[in-house]
Amino acid sequence: MSLDHLSSLEDVAQALVASGKGILAADESTGTIANRFDGINVENTEANRRNYRELLFTADGMEKNIGGVILFDETLRQSGNDGTRFADLLANKGVISGIKLDMGAKALAGAPGETVTEGLDGLRERVAEYVGLGALFAKWRAVISIGDGRPSAYCINANAHALARYAAICVEGGLVPIVEPEILMDGDHTIETSFQVTHDVLTAVFAALAEHRVPLEQILLKPNMVISGYDCPVQADVATVAAQTVDCFRQTVPANVPGIVFLSGGQSEISSTAHLNAMNADHSDLPWALSFSYGRALQASALKAWVGKSENLVAGQQAFLIRAKHNGAAAQGTYVGE
Ligand code: 5MM
């Protein structure tokens, strides 16, 4: 296998969401992977991070359902046990490497409690370096929260502007930008509030992308689902989440975006799969592919099965493959449960 047939950014974007495929978000920064490792009592060393990522990437058959993997800078520079660089190991399986380009969500001046994602300085040069290291796509995550008057229009617009600047630089430099405006699911807000905020944010993001002349055929959108806040006393059921999410995206996402790849956002593995499945099972006339770009919802069981021990490598891989397979089915609306 190779990726030589992907000769344009449109080809790359479409390959990432080919039928039954989605994306593994394995781009946890060093601080975030520390939280994941803390949960299984594994020390956050460079060797453990490398071993864990190698477990995921060498799982036999993951390429059936994983079209691409988002990597952190350190991982893109690492190699497997046999000395093959991870980007090459993945390409040999037909899996596309992507790179997390943002430098994290930082306090937004003048807006207490809100953040704007940083990382635009020097981005053109970093894109060129990552292209040289084998990346074909990228990711930038904006973080928006709901509650106590949040989000402000100022926060929405600052993040939309940064996402659009990032996307334009990626396209110019030869990477497919994944545009990720994440509205956190924390809080006691209703699904109606989630719908309204998601609608407002996506409207602002697509206006900014248009202003920055970003060709929508060359991007993927990575959003939250429209869902009740985790502390809301009334939790919308699977069918309602699917219907509200699709309705919100029909109103805001242009038809020439090739794919929408959801984040899981702290939902359980099974809820993330069930929600995605219901969207695809209940709608056959969508203009974009609806698939996944999950971090926690693809990795939670694998981490628990592995717990940092080499003798559990196969158990960890099996757990990951099960989630990949079920989410691949959900991307086609054919998931039948666990
Ligand atoms: C995998 O985690 C990604 C990087 O997070 P940090 O910058 O905080 O280290 C993160 O962007 C992730 O891709 C998205 O949040 C989606 O992951 P989930 O777990 O919500 O599906």
Side-chain angles (χ1 to χ4, degrees):
M1 271 285 228
S2 84
L3 302 173
D4 294 347
H5 60 291
L6 303 174
S7 54
S8 67
L9 295 188
E10 284 89 338
D11 286 350
V12 173
Q14 280 162 13
L16 288 166
V17 292
S19 181
K21 290 195 182 184
I23 295 170
L24 166 65
D27 58 313
E28 297 86 357
S29 51
T30 309
T32 300
I33 197 75
N35 296 334
R36 307 282 183 269
F37 282 2
D38 274 355
I40 54 168
N41 286 319
V42 170
E43 201 186 342
N44 187 21
T45 61
E46 198 258 348
N48 283 338
R49 293 192 293 272
R50 197 203 64 82
N51 289 340
Y52 173 59
R53 267 65 183 251
E54 181 162 35
L55 173 157
L56 297 172
F57 305 161
T58 57
D60 195 20
M62 56 81 97
E63 62 274 17
K64 287 185 203 142
N65 304 109
I66 303 293
V69 181
I70 315 172
L71 305 170
F72 186 56
D73 175 273
E74 173 186 87
T75 320
L76 185 59
R77 299 175 194 278
Q78 286 172 324
S79 301
N81 280 330
D82 68 356
T84 309
R85 292 185 54 247
F86 280 146
D88 295 331
L89 186 157
L90 290 166
N92 291 340
K93 301 174 87 162
V95 177
I96 305 171
S97 289
I99 180 74
K100 170 187 164 75
L101 282 182
D102 68 73
M103 307 293 276
K106 305 285 162 60
L108 176 62
E114 298 195 291
T115 63
V116 65
T117 299
E118 296 189 351
L120 291 171
D121 288 349
L123 186 58
R124 182 173 275 115
E125 293 71 25
R126 289 168 59 223
V127 166
E129 186 190 4
Y130 290 130
V131 167
L133 289 170
L136 294 182
F137 72 103
K139 191 195 85 175
W140 179 290
R141 172 173 171 253
V143 183
I144 288 159
S145 59
I146 297 180
D148 294 333
R150 301 187 312 274
S152 63
Y154 164 42
C155 171
I156 292 174
N157 291 330
N159 278 292
H161 178 266
L163 280 165
R165 288 263 290 125
Y166 139 83
I169 292 170
C170 282
V171 166
E172 179 198 82
L175 295 176
V176 167
I178 294 188
V179 172
E180 181 180 0
E182 174 173 7
I183 298 155
L184 299 176
M185 298 166 188
D186 307 83
D188 60 2
H189 55 273
T190 62
I191 190 168
E192 288 78 18
T193 300
S194 173
F195 184 107
Q196 191 56 52
V197 174
T198 304
H199 189 287
D200 292 349
V201 168
L202 292 176
T203 301
V205 166
F206 281 100
L209 289 169
E211 225 170 84
H212 289 78
R213 306 172 185 181
V214 175
L216 298 184
E217 296 79 6
Q218 299 180 355
I219 76 161
L220 293 175
L221 177 70
K222 176 166 174 170
N224 52 283
M225 296 177 190
V226 173
I227 201 167
S228 319
Y230 289 132
D231 298 327
C232 179
V234 181
Q235 291 290 311
D237 61 16
V238 172
T240 307
V241 169
Q244 294 285 305
T245 302
V246 169
D247 191 21
C248 186
F249 287 77
R250 278 198 208 273
Q251 291 181 29
T252 52
V253 183
N256 51 344
V257 172
I260 297 175
V261 288
F262 289 99
L263 58 93
S264 56
Q267 298 178 68
S268 71
E269 290 177 320
I270 292 177
S271 290
S272 313
T273 308
H275 286 146
L276 176 62
N277 184 66
M279 288 179 220
N280 283 304
D282 298 348
H283 302 90
S284 53
D285 57 343
L286 301 171
W288 356 260
L290 284 188
S291 191
F292 58 91
S293 173
Y294 296 158
R296 287 163 286 181
L298 276 170
Q299 298 183 54
S301 300
L303 280 164
K304 272 190 213 138
W306 173 60
V307 293
K309 299 201 164 110
S310 56
E311 61 268 31
N312 294 334
L313 179 112
V314 173
Q317 291 182 323
Q318 289 304 330
F320 167 51
L321 289 170
I322 287 170
R323 293 320 320 154
K325 185 175 131 206
H326 285 321
N327 285 306
Q332 301 172 92
T334 60
Y335 167 65
V336 287
E338 299 297 309

